[in-house]
Amino acid sequence: MKKKLIAVGVAAMRAEPSGKSELVSQAILNTSVVILDHSTSGWCMVQTPDQYQGWIEDRDMTDWDESSDPQKRMEESQIVQALWTFVRSAPNLSSPARVEVVRGSRLIVNEQIKDWVSVSLPSRPLDKIGGYIPKKAFRDMIRPSLADKIVADARDCLGISYLWGGSTPKGFDCSGLTQAVFLWNRIPLPRDASQQAKIGKFVRPDPDYGNLLPGDLIFFGPTDEKINHVALSIGSRDYIHAGACVEFGRLSSDKQPRLIKRIVPDFI
């Protein structure tokens, strides 16, 4: 079983080995992927840690080894908290950017230099420094509960454009948004809305939806077996979802959910 690491900020996963093919998902910097197949045109069929499969250009990846995988060096790595930022060639904002990184990326940290941190990059296995990232990019926000953190992360994404197959701050589809905000808080979810609807604890809503809690997942679709949209509850009738963009929504007689699931461990 051959593995590789994503070596760019956000790698496109496509349905077929072509840049014109449908975007099915995205993989972020330092994600380890299993190589399932190769094409003659420079693409690899991969499987991400959430078991999702798609084609990624080989040039967006580098060979995997345990020493370069942050997941294997947890004590030496940190998760980027900024929605997006850049790893630069020197510890100042005027230096060239080496790679863009988005929230959720895990980087191996080497040392702190004033307001900057030196990090290793998978695309430069022989470079012990790799680049520099602002220290504040790793600073976790202090919030009172896990549910509040998940909702706050979703609020941070308000206004980000809708992107079919998107699962990063470069663009989200509905299930990509919910998967991302939970993963940023160390709760892995399946990739698609129909898959997410199969996990968690069933919640029977009150007539006024007053029993919905922040962090609950609200599913929509023609039947329980045909879920085609998911939103994140922020409490009662209100939710955040990826519609035309990441935006607020509200349950009503014209907008009724098909299913509600409780995922946050604190509430189960």
Side-chain angles (χ1 to χ4, degrees):
M1 180 179 66
K2 185 174 182 180
K3 296 171 69 175
K4 289 197 172 189
L5 279 179
I6 301 300
V8 295
V10 177
M13 293 178 62
R14 299 197 178 273
E16 302 293 338
S18 167
K20 297 181 179 180
S21 179
E22 175 190 2
L23 181 72
V24 296
S25 194
Q26 296 170 308
I28 61 177
L29 182 71
N30 275 332
T31 300
S32 63
V33 297
V34 176
I35 305 301
L36 303 177
D37 197 5
H38 294 83
S39 77
T40 57
S41 56
W43 291 74
C44 294
M45 167 65 80
V46 307
Q47 180 171 289
T48 51
D50 60 3
Q51 309 303 305
Y52 219 67
Q53 296 180 7
W55 290 90
I56 292 180
E57 286 192 89
D58 192 50
R59 67 182 182 181
D60 289 344
M61 299 179 287
T62 190
D63 289 339
W64 179 92
D65 68 79
E66 189 165 316
S67 65
S68 62
D69 187 348
Q71 298 294 335
K72 299 296 183 180
R73 298 172 61 182
M74 299 291 281
E75 294 183 359
E76 304 167 64
S77 62
Q78 294 189 44
I79 296 175
V80 173
Q81 298 294 329
L83 274 182
W84 60 79
T85 187
F86 293 95
V87 175
R88 297 186 178 275
S89 59
N92 60 74
L93 292 175
S94 60
S95 63
R98 288 194 167 178
V99 66
E100 183 180 22
V101 292
V102 297
R103 180 177 289 180
S105 302
R106 183 177 284 277
L107 301 179
I108 295 172
V109 172
N110 298 313
E111 61 178 335
Q112 182 176 323
I113 304 173
K114 294 185 178 180
D115 294 330
W116 293 78
V117 176
S118 66
V119 296
S120 297
L121 294 175
S123 54
R124 296 171 175 82
L126 300 180
D127 186 345
K128 293 183 180 180
I129 297 299
Y132 299 85
I133 190 170
K135 182 176 68 173
K136 64 182 181 181
F138 291 117
R139 188 173 301 156
D140 199 2
M141 298 175 66
I142 299 174
R143 302 174 188 138
S145 73
L146 179 57
D148 286 341
K149 289 179 68 177
I150 292 169
V151 169
D153 282 337
R155 287 179 181 272
D156 285 347
C157 297
L158 288 168
I160 291 177
S161 298
Y162 180 89
L163 176 65
W164 177 268
S167 58
T168 74
K170 304 290 285 185
F172 290 106
D173 62 21
C174 66
S175 56
L177 173 66
T178 51
Q179 185 190 46
V181 297
F182 274 85
L183 187 60
W184 295 342
N185 290 281
R186 297 175 173 81
I187 301 176
L189 297 185
R191 178 60 179 86
D192 291 340
S194 59
Q195 297 170 326
Q196 294 175 9
K198 295 177 181 178
I199 65 173
K201 179 181 178 181
F202 174 76
V203 176
R204 186 179 301 278
D206 293 340
D208 63 353
Y209 300 104
N211 63 328
L212 269 65
L213 299 177
D216 287 348
L217 292 183
I218 305 170
F219 296 94
F220 302 88
T223 69
D224 289 356
E225 290 72 37
K226 294 183 178 180
I227 297 297
N228 55 24
H229 190 65
V230 59
L232 178 76
S233 172
I234 59 176
S236 191
R237 293 179 178 271
D238 298 311
Y239 59 82
I240 295 173
H241 71 139
C245 63
V246 179
E247 59 189 358
F248 290 111
R250 186 172 174 82
L251 297 173
S252 66
S253 58
D254 296 327
K255 191 70 173 179
Q256 297 186 29
R258 173 60 59 182
L259 186 67
I260 298 168
K261 287 295 193 73
R262 187 152 293 158
I263 307 295
V264 179
D266 294 358
F267 297 149
I268 296 177

